[in-house]
Amino acid sequence: IGQVLESEGIATVCISFVRQISERVRPPRGLMVEARGGYTLGRPSDAGGQRRRLQAALQLLETITEPGALVEEAAVAPPAI
């Protein structure tokens, strides 16, 4: 889906916790996260953690210039407040 949206000029970021799958799918931009239990966006009721994860993903829209780059969440600097 991301590649189709990108071809229409809409930037996308894939959030994933399985690197092997992401390497095969090759999303335009990928945020690799540690997601125990399959909670890709974070644990239920953890609004702060979910917000931080989404902010990290959105930050990649500005920082990734090489298509297909996969970035570990820990490598993304927290946004300035």
Side-chain angles (χ1 to χ4, degrees):
I1 293 173
Q3 293 170 347
V4 172
L5 291 172
E6 291 272 342
S7 72
E8 296 296 321
I10 301 170
T12 63
V13 176
C14 175
I15 302 174
S16 176
F17 60 96
V18 182
R19 180 172 279 280
Q20 294 86 348
I21 292 174
S22 294
E23 288 172 348
R24 284 188 182 182
V25 173
R26 297 179 33 87
R29 289 163 206 81
L31 178 66
M32 302 306 306
V33 300
E34 190 172 313
R36 293 201 172 110
Y39 297 118
T40 307
L41 292 180
R43 290 228 171 265
S45 302
D46 180 12
Q50 294 166 359
R51 185 176 301 107
R52 283 188 298 278
R53 187 158 284 171
L54 287 172
Q55 287 173 329
L58 292 173
Q59 206 171 341
L60 296 184
L61 293 172
E62 297 176 347
T63 59
I64 291 182
T65 57
E66 188 74 26
L70 300 175
V71 178
E72 296 293 332
E73 182 178 24
V76 179
I81 296 176

